[in-house]
Amino acid sequence: MDWLAGAWAVFRNDLRIELRTRYALNALLLFALGALLLILFAVGPQPIPTRVQSAFLWMVILFAAAVGLGRSFVAEERQGTALLLRLNTRPSMVFAGKLLFNLVLVGSLGGVSTGALLLLLDVSVARPGLLATALGMGVLGLAVATTLLGALVARAARRGALLPVLLLPLLTPLLVSSVSATQKAIQGLPWTEAQDELLTLVGFVGATLSAATLLFDYVWAD
Amino acid sequence: MASSVLSSPTVYRSVRALVVALLSGALVAGFLGQIPQLDILEQSARNLYFHVPMWFALMMGTVISAYHSFRYLQSGDRLRDIRAREAAWLALLFGLLGIVTGMVWARFTWYVGSGKWWNFDPKQSMAAVLLLIYGGYFVLRDSVEDPDTRGRVAAVYNLFAVVTMPFLLYILPRQLPSLHPGGEGSPAFTQTDLAPAMRWVFYPSVLGFLGLFWVLYTQRVRLSWIRKRLRREPEL
């Protein structure tokens, strides 16, 4: 099978299953919105500094992703379809397809959470381009890490809270840089001010993507 | 097979004797010896002999653990998995010691007067995150039943984590304001942190801690290997 066609087929398959019930997407978005509202109730009506605003945003995205993602590999193992997938596709196709699917999920999660936060707190973003870049890089890194770790967790017998335990410490660099870049976007600082954060994000995403691509074969192979 | 687990007794005994001598020397000289008067650090500068070598031992643990994880993925040899696990365990141990000595040191230099034990200095926080990553490694190991899958899953996680560690330990702490030496682009000590005379205790202490790592590591690997053999062949 052509590599692109194979990866696309894996993605289409996951997307179709998801669109039948919309379980993962709904759970993810409701978790994020619920958490966001809860945080804002807990904080109460008072002006929130931009640093804290961007910290809220990324904590909500990170926790929602840690709780809600990584189901698609578990579902493959549970329904016994993992073997069929192993026979019919190469590991890299599965990785690319699942990564694309997770990217769609995390992308919608990031978009909706950001929109909700900006609306609820009535924040006007001075540099939307910078915010979109930070969000895009953060979402990409998050999707890469959850795809690889989701495949790892699917091999475990006791899953429970395993994904958050593995994911959160690994994503600390991503969190720190994204929060800082988001804060600078809200404050309207020039792009050159956020250079360190953006370069760190690019480096982090590049390093994790390369490592995940190389390592996925070993998780997937039986 | 056993020969690959057992280091030769002569080598082991001589390294052990060297470690005992070096660490005893470092302890005596560290606590009782004369130290140069450095600003702010004053008597707490003695911690240099213990805190910094602990971090070197941690680094050695992460590198050895990652190397054996890599070789495990290549070969599937169970001994590689044991080596990776024991090195990670020792990295966690030395990391904990390093963080405790670092906390005490920070309490009496950076935060003196404020009474704080922890104030989220980037180096401290990132070191704590590093320990969480190794904690996750062991939680992951415990959650997989089948030994071959466990080895592979753990090795993949270990290597993936190692890729993120440079960001955690080197890139981020340099972007954030930190009181810890080694920021501002310079990885080495400056004259304010290390007086030349201290090298005579510091370097042997580093050697001693790395040797201690090696002694503990080889013994733990042997122990795990024997336990595994006994499970398989209880009559032994």
Side-chain angles (χ1 to χ4, degrees), chain A residues 10-68:
Chain A
V10 171
F11 169 66
R12 279 268 305 276
N13 173 47
D14 266 2
L15 196 65
R16 196 171 291 160
I17 293 172
E18 173 59 31
L19 287 178
R20 262 182 219 152
T21 59
R22 297 193 187 81
Y23 171 73
L25 193 63
N26 285 341
L28 213 57
L29 294 183
L30 284 176
F31 180 95
L33 289 178
L36 206 58
L37 277 177
L38 215 63
I39 290 174
L40 296 179
F41 285 144
V43 170
Q46 54 169 310
I48 301 170
T50 50
R51 174 81 198 187
V52 181
Q53 287 171 358
S54 36
F56 283 164
L57 175 65
W58 281 101
M59 291 315 289
V60 164
I61 294 178
L62 219 59
F63 275 83
V67 171

Side-chain angles (χ1 to χ4, degrees), chain B residues 59-71:
Chain B
M59 291 299 158
M60 192 161 151
T62 57
V63 170
I64 290 177
S65 181
Y67 171 73
H68 286 294
S69 285
F70 174 69
R71 293 299 302 267

Side-chain angles (χ1 to χ4, degrees), chain A residues 144-145 148-149 151-153 155-159 162 165-170 172-174 176-177 196-197 199-201 203-205 207-209 211-212 215-216 218-222, chain B residues 70 72-74 125-126 129-130 132-145 149 152-165 167-168 171-172 174-176:
Chain A
V144 169
L148 183 74
L149 295 180
L152 281 183
V153 169
R155 308 305 300 260
R158 293 179 277 271
R159 283 164 197 142
L162 196 52
V165 167
L166 301 181
L167 186 68
L168 295 180
L170 283 188
T172 310
L174 184 96
V176 173
S177 303
D196 277 357
E197 286 84 355
L199 284 178
T200 310
L201 282 174
F204 187 80
V205 171
T208 48
L209 185 60
L215 290 170
F216 183 75
Y218 295 102
V219 193
W220 189 240
D222 239 343
Chain B
F70 174 69
Y72 180 78
L73 287 183
Q74 280 186 326
S125 312
M126 297 301 161
V129 172
L130 184 73
L132 284 182
I133 291 180
Y134 277 113
Y137 174 79
F138 286 102
V139 172
L140 179 65
R141 290 193 69 95
D142 290 339
S143 69
V144 186
E145 302 279 355
T149 316
R152 222 168 42 222
V153 161
V156 167
Y157 178 71
N158 196 0
L159 289 174
F160 192 63
V162 162
V163 169
T164 66
M165 280 175 196
F167 290 91
L168 216 51
I171 298 177
L172 281 179
R174 298 229 166 124
Q175 292 177 357
L176 303 165

Side-chain angles (χ1 to χ4, degrees), chain A:
Chain A
M1 206 187 323
D2 182 18
W3 188 86
L4 270 180
W8 186 247
V10 171
F11 169 66
R12 279 268 305 276
N13 173 47
D14 266 2
L15 196 65
R16 196 171 291 160
I17 293 172
E18 173 59 31
L19 287 178
R20 262 182 219 152
T21 59
R22 297 193 187 81
Y23 171 73
L25 193 63
N26 285 341
L28 213 57
L29 294 183
L30 284 176
F31 180 95
L33 289 178
L36 206 58
L37 277 177
L38 215 63
I39 290 174
L40 296 179
F41 285 144
V43 170
Q46 54 169 310
I48 301 170
T50 50
R51 174 81 198 187
V52 181
Q53 287 171 358
S54 36
F56 283 164
L57 175 65
W58 281 101
M59 291 315 289
V60 164
I61 294 178
L62 219 59
F63 275 83
V67 171
L69 287 180
R71 276 180 215 286
S72 96
F73 280 110
V74 176
E76 302 275 9
E77 295 283 341
R78 196 174 290 154
Q79 293 158 4
T81 46
L83 189 61
L84 268 177
L85 210 54
R86 275 188 199 113
L87 286 174
N88 288 309
T89 50
R90 291 210 300 277
S92 54
M93 295 181 198
V94 179
F95 179 71
K98 299 272 182 194
L99 175 62
L100 205 57
F101 177 65
N102 274 345
L103 204 57
V104 170
L105 283 184
V106 189
S108 356
L109 169 72
V112 171
S113 316
T114 313
L117 184 91
L118 296 182
L119 184 77
L120 289 172
L121 288 178
D122 193 21
V123 183
S124 55
V125 181
R127 282 200 193 268
L130 183 55
L131 179 66
T133 312
L135 206 61
M137 295 308 294
V139 160
L140 190 56
L142 195 53
V144 169
T146 41
T147 308
L148 183 74
L149 295 180
L152 281 183
V153 169
R155 308 305 300 260
R158 293 179 277 271
R159 283 164 197 142
L162 196 52
L163 186 60
V165 167
L166 301 181
L167 186 68
L168 295 180
L170 283 188
L171 286 184
T172 310
L174 184 96
L175 176 82
V176 173
S177 303
S178 307
V179 168
S180 179
T182 307
Q183 180 199 10
K184 286 174 179 172
I186 295 176
Q187 285 176 336
L189 296 176
W191 282 75
T192 45
E193 286 283 313
Q195 185 183 324
D196 277 357
E197 286 84 355
L198 293 180
L199 284 178
T200 310
L201 282 174
V202 171
F204 187 80
V205 171
T208 48
L209 185 60
S210 321
T213 314
L214 291 172
L215 290 170
F216 183 75
D217 288 15
Y218 295 102
V219 193
W220 189 240
D222 239 343

Side-chain angles (χ1 to χ4, degrees), chain B residues 91-108:
Chain B
L92 195 59
L93 179 76
F94 279 103
L96 273 175
L97 290 174
I99 233 170
V100 170
T101 48
M103 265 171 78
V104 174
W105 205 356
R107 166 71 178 77
F108 295 102

